[in-house]
């Protein structure tokens, strides 16, 4: 037993143990990626279902149709006649139409500034008070004058105006219904929902003169087509990757496909054959949208306030008409009207891969956690290395000299005794001040690009990214030279700096995975080379001048890291997808200034500082060690 204990204690100094973490880290990344790719299989995903029994989707007979078609056509002509008119003329006409339905009508002006552009307009809304309610709860029906593609939402606005007259005739409502028409699909809904919850910023956003009860749900209607449609495209992504309760999505799918016989699509997958490939594409598209965190429709502004919302968009060329879409909205409102409490029984964290198939958080979360834990594993290994004293070689005695004595220590534990060399238990004192200062300084440096891209005029954003990428290419070398000249780090402090960088990155990503899984997973994959590149060796170099092969390795590592810099990745992705860099950065700036988007905070204050640390340690201008 003493021999076994001796062996175990001696293993803590075995250099072979410190060769395991890189392989273990690579294994975690690989398993995490494979885990994600397995999710579309039937064994790891499941059919959607309704958890809230009170919804009763499709259990009521809908009556919208018949003469309502003529009313709809008349309103559609009114909407077309307003094309090209001023905002005041449009608001005045909509005000008259809503008042003619016998509803209380109010307006709200707003104005936002983002990326050098002004987003202003006037929301108009009406409230139908529930005959059987007490104004404590409300449901919102929304139509934006122009949809996310900047097209005139003629069918959507006309349908909302028609439903105001139709819903007014029914006495079954137990919740108030708010009919909201906004000038656009992003700023208008955000201004209205902010003011409804008293979270707006006057005077740029006016207060609401009329309010109802707590919002239980919101349905957005989008139909810019001038002909019959084929299917309904349901958009559900919210700000910062938040999602509505899955029961709302399932209810809409059940009503559209089951009761009305209308096809349903999501994530712009117009034709879905329910194959593995199409499931994976749908899931990845949803992950990218969730990672970006921007508003995908007017419904996105409601979700941060715990108001479940979706957008119903008419797409394709088929035989379904506006009355079928109206019956879907009617049946959906009848289901929401049945609720006795806020939707809570189903999932708020999920990945959809088809209209009737999903994966819950308990199944997909381990993949992001495995990617995040690889940084923690490497950080622990670097922490252990930083406390190991350098190896001391015992010189062989010359003739006539005594053999140097090796000091031994006796360890007793649990009735076992072991005798090991004293140096096996030695631990160096860790000097933490400089590594902590370097890490904090680099993380605070992320405020610079965050401020630049959120406050630059939209016409200059492309040039700003180009200039930043050029400067960022030389920044690691400049920082390495600066640190070497004014605050040279010891080998131990270099290990600690890299350790702190990786442990912070792993901690941030593991926490983020519970809030926005997609953003944490994608950034974790893009940052995974940092676990292997720029890691100081376990022992300080024996010579100050690096051999040629070491310099070549540093140059290749530096090139690989620069190819994965945040700015370069953004430019490459935009070029590959055919999207304008200027538009992406403008949307991010709008989200930051208007919607509270924090995706760029993760990019510039979490990912970029960790990338900088890696770039500093692989810089050809090698950090000079302080003895």
């Amino acid at each position: 037993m003493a021999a076994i204990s001796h062996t175990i204690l001696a293993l803590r100094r075995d250099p072979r143990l410190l060769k395991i973490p890189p392989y273990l880290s690579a294994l975690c990344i690989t398993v995490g990626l494979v885990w994600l790719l397995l999710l579309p299989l039937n064994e790891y995903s499941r059919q959607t279902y309704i958890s809230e029994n009170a919804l009763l989707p499709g259990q009521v007979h809908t009556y919208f149709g018949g003469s309502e078609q003529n009313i709809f056509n008349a309103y559609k002509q009114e909407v077309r006649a307003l094309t090209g008119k001023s905002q005041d003329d449009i608001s005045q006409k909509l005000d008259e139409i809503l008042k003619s339905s016998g509803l209380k009508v109010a307006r709200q002006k707003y104005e936002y500034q983002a990326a050098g552009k002004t987003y202003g307009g006037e929301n108009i809304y009406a409230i139908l008070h529930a005959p059987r309610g007490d104004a404590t709860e409300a449901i919102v029906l929304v139509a934006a004058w122009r949809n996310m593609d900047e097209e005139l939402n003629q069918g959507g606005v006309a349908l909302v105006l028609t439903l105001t007259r139709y819903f007014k005739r029914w006495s079954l409502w137990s919740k108030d219904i708010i009919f909201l028409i906004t000038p656009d699909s992003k700023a208008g809904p955000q201004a209205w929902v902010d003011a409804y919850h008293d979270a707006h910023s006057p005077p740029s956003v006016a207060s609401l003169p009329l309010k109802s009860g707590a919002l239980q749900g919101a349905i957005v209607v989008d139909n810019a087509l001038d002909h019959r449609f084929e299917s309904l495209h349901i958009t559900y992504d919210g700000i910062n990757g938040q999602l509505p309760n899955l029961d709302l999505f399932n209810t809409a799918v059940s009503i559209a496909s089951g009761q009305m016989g209308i096809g349903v699509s999501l994530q712009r997958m117009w034709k879905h054959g329910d194959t593995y490939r199409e499931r994976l594409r749908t899931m990845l598209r949803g992950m990218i949208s969730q990672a970006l965190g921007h508003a995908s429709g007017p419904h996105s502004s409601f979700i941060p306030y715990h108001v479940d919302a979706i957008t119903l968009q008419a797409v394709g060329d088929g035989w379904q008409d506006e009355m079928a879409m109206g019956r879907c909205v009617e049946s959906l409102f009848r289901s929401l009207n049945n609720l006795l409490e806020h939707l809570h029984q189903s999932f708020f964290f999920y990945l959809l891969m088809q209209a009737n198939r999903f994966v819950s958080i308990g199944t997909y979360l381990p993949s992001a956690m495995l990617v995040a834990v690889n940084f923690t594993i490497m950080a622990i290994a670097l922490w252990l290395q930083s406390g190991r004293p350098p190896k001391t070689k015992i010189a062989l005695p010359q003739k006539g000299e005594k053999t140097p004595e090796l000091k031994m220590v006796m360890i007793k534990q649990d009735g076992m005794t072991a005798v090991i060399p004293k140096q096996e238990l030695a631990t160096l004192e860790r000097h933490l001040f400089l590594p902590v200062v370097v890490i904090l300084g680099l993380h605070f440096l992320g405020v610079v690009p965050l401020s630049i891209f959120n406050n630059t005029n939209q016409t200059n954003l492309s040039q700003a990214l180009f200039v930043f990428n050029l400067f960022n290419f030389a920044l690691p070398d400049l920082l390495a030279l600066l640190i070497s000249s004014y605050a040279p780090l010891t080998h131990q402090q270099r290990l600690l700096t890299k350790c702190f960088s990786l442990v912070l990155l792993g901690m941030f990503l593991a926490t983020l995975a519970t809030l926005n899984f997609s953003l944490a997973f994608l950034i974790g994959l893009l940052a995974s080379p940092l676990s292997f590149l720029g890691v100081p060796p376990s022992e300080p170099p024996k010579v100050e001048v690096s051999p040629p092969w070491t310099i070549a390795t540093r140059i290749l590592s530096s090139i690989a890291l620069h190819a994965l810099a945040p700015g370069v990745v953004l430019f490459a992705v935009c070029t590959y997808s055919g999207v304008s860099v200027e538009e992406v950065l403008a949307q991010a700036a709008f989200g930051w200034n208007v919607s509270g988007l924090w995706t760029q905070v993760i990019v510039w204050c979490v990912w970029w500082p960790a990338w900088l640390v890696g770039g500093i340690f692989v810089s050809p201008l090698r950090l000079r060690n302080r003895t």
Side-chain angles (χ1 to χ4, degrees):
M1 295 299 291
I4 295 176
S5 180
H6 180 176
T7 304
I8 294 175
L9 289 172
L11 279 175
R12 68 189 299 273
R13 294 279 298 171
D14 194 333
R16 291 174 296 181
L17 282 180
L18 295 179
K19 295 181 180 179
I20 297 177
Y23 298 101
L24 188 58
S25 180
L27 179 63
C28 288
I29 297 171
T30 304
V31 173
L33 182 59
V34 172
W35 191 302
L36 185 78
L37 297 178
L38 291 175
L39 294 179
L41 298 176
N42 288 333
E43 292 79 6
Y44 300 95
S45 59
R46 46 181 167 163
Q47 290 283 343
T48 56
Y49 56 92
I50 304 292
S51 299
E52 179 57 70
N53 295 325
L55 284 170
L56 299 174
Q59 299 300 310
V60 296
H61 183 74
T62 54
Y63 299 92
F64 186 75
S67 60
E68 307 299 333
Q69 178 74 63
N70 299 325
I71 299 174
F72 172 84
N73 291 334
Y75 282 143
K76 194 172 183 179
Q77 292 298 326
E78 295 276 7
V79 172
R80 286 176 177 172
L82 293 172
T83 305
K85 298 291 183 68
S86 65
Q87 181 63 57
D88 291 336
D89 293 338
I90 295 174
S91 297
Q92 183 61 35
K93 185 62 177 179
L94 293 176
D95 190 298
E96 295 174 1
I97 294 174
L98 291 172
K99 284 182 177 177
S100 67
S101 300
L103 304 177
K104 294 181 179 180
V105 183
R107 304 187 196 181
Q108 179 209 23
K109 289 185 178 293
Y110 65 90
E111 183 177 292
Y112 292 110
Q113 300 288 336
K117 291 183 63 177
T118 300
Y119 300 84
E122 186 177 40
N123 294 322
I124 182 168
Y125 65 101
I127 299 178
L128 169 61
H129 290 290
R132 300 170 57 188
D134 54 359
T136 58
E137 297 177 333
I139 315 170
V140 189
L141 180 60
V142 187
W145 188 262
R146 293 199 174 273
N147 62 14
M148 291 295 290
D149 299 324
E150 291 299 322
E151 299 172 334
L152 178 64
N153 186 18
Q154 53 184 355
V157 174
L159 183 59
V160 169
L161 296 176
T162 307
L163 287 171
T164 58
R165 296 171 58 95
Y166 178 75
F167 285 169
K168 175 71 175 175
R169 301 203 304 262
W170 289 89
S171 61
L172 51 83
W173 304 113
S174 62
K175 295 177 175 57
D176 291 353
I177 300 178
I178 303 175
F179 303 92
L180 172 63
I181 299 177
T182 62
D184 61 8
S185 294
K186 295 187 297 182
Q190 189 66 51
W192 188 87
V193 74
D194 283 347
Y196 194 91
H197 294 90
D198 295 323
H200 60 299
S201 301
S204 60
V205 178
S207 300
L208 298 183
L210 288 178
K211 288 186 181 181
S212 181
L215 302 182
Q216 299 297 301
I219 305 299
V220 181
V221 181
D222 181 3
N223 184 6
L225 304 178
D226 197 22
H227 52 77
R228 291 173 178 262
F229 65 93
E230 180 183 9
S231 61
L232 286 178
H233 179 255
I234 301 180
T235 311
Y236 55 91
D237 308 287
I239 305 295
N240 293 320
Q242 294 178 327
L243 301 173
N245 189 274
L246 188 57
D247 268 346
L248 179 62
F249 178 87
N250 293 339
T251 300
V253 171
S254 176
I255 291 172
S257 60
Q259 184 181 13
M260 304 298 168
I262 303 175
V264 175
S265 60
L266 63 153
Q267 301 300 341
R268 297 186 175 273
M269 293 288 293
W270 312 123
K271 302 294 183 182
H272 202 298
D274 199 25
T275 62
Y276 171 83
R277 183 186 182 90
E278 290 170 325
R279 287 184 184 180
L280 181 62
R281 287 184 62 191
T282 305
M283 184 183 71
L284 293 179
R285 287 188 178 190
M287 288 180 61
I288 293 174
S289 178
Q290 188 182 21
L292 291 175
H294 60 80
S296 58
H299 68 281
S300 299
S301 302
F302 290 85
I303 297 178
Y305 290 95
H306 304 289
V307 180
D308 302 303
I310 56 174
T311 293
L312 304 178
Q313 180 185 17
V315 295
D317 188 359
W319 58 276
Q320 303 287 351
D321 62 359
E322 296 86 354
M323 295 299 100
M325 191 172 190
R327 286 191 291 273
C328 284
V329 175
E330 177 191 357
S331 185
L332 193 51
F333 267 66
R334 292 283 296 275
S335 292
L336 293 175
N337 188 60
N338 293 335
L339 289 176
L340 300 177
E341 53 187 336
H342 200 83
L343 287 173
H344 66 281
Q345 293 198 26
S346 192
F347 298 95
F348 287 95
F349 299 94
Y350 50 86
L351 293 176
L352 287 168
M353 49 197 65
Q354 195 246 356
N356 295 303
R357 201 155 197 90
F358 79 107
V359 176
S360 64
I361 185 172
T363 305
Y364 67 71
L365 186 61
S367 59
M369 289 299 185
L370 284 169
V371 174
V373 81
N374 97 86
F375 301 109
T376 306
I377 291 173
M378 289 301 298
I380 293 173
L382 292 172
W383 176 264
L384 293 177
Q385 289 179 21
S386 67
R388 289 165 57 94
K391 292 182 180 180
T392 56
K393 291 188 177 181
I394 302 175
L396 294 175
Q398 300 295 330
K399 289 184 177 181
E401 294 182 357
K402 294 183 178 180
T403 304
E405 295 182 359
L406 185 63
K407 296 183 179 180
M408 307 296 288
V409 177
M410 181 178 293
I411 303 295
K412 293 183 178 181
Q413 184 176 357
D414 299 331
M416 295 183 295
T417 304
V419 179
I420 61 175
K422 186 176 181 179
Q423 66 177 10
E424 298 290 338
L425 300 177
T427 302
L428 285 181
E429 180 184 359
R430 294 178 174 91
H431 301 279
L432 307 179
F433 179 73
L434 275 180
V436 170
V437 169
V438 171
I439 292 299
L440 290 180
L442 292 179
H443 277 272
F444 279 111
L445 190 63
V447 176
V448 176
L450 181 66
S451 177
I452 290 174
F453 293 117
N454 286 333
N455 296 286
T456 302
N457 194 292
Q458 181 173 352
T459 57
N460 300 325
L461 282 173
S462 297
Q463 295 88 336
L465 180 64
F466 178 75
V467 172
F468 175 80
N469 282 339
L470 286 180
F471 176 73
N472 194 49
F473 185 80
L475 184 58
D477 296 333
L478 294 175
L479 291 175
L481 189 61
L482 185 66
I483 294 174
S484 296
S485 301
Y486 295 98
L489 304 175
T490 64
H491 180 72
Q492 183 198 65
Q493 289 171 332
R494 296 179 64 194
L495 291 170
L496 289 172
T497 302
K498 184 67 175 180
C499 168
F500 293 157
S501 175
L502 291 180
V503 77
L504 282 177
L505 181 60
M507 180 184 68
F508 283 133
L509 293 182
T511 304
L512 179 64
T514 61
L515 302 175
N516 190 336
F517 162 82
S518 303
L519 181 59
F521 184 84
L522 293 177
I523 288 186
L525 280 185
L526 292 171
S528 57
L530 297 175
S531 295
F532 313 100
L533 299 178
V535 178
S538 58
E539 296 291 339
K542 299 178 181 179
V543 293
E544 188 65 26
V545 180
S546 300
W549 67 269
T550 304
I551 297 177
T553 302
R554 286 179 176 274
I555 294 176
L556 292 176
S557 300
S558 181
I559 293 174
L561 271 186
H562 279 90
L564 292 174
V568 176
V569 170
L570 172 62
F571 179 79
V573 170
C574 290
T575 303
Y576 175 77
S577 58
V579 181
S580 169
V581 174
E582 179 181 300
E583 181 63 24
V584 172
L585 292 175
Q587 293 294 332
F590 175 86
W592 172 264
N593 290 283
V594 178
S595 308
L597 180 66
W598 41 255
T599 299
Q600 50 266 62
V601 177
I602 303 299
V603 172
W604 299 119
C605 296
V606 176
W607 178 17
W608 188 59
W611 178 87
L612 276 179
V613 173
I616 290 172
F617 287 135
V618 301
S619 170
L621 303 177
R622 183 170 63 86
L623 286 176
R624 179 168 56 87
N625 287 321
R626 176 166 57 88
T627 57

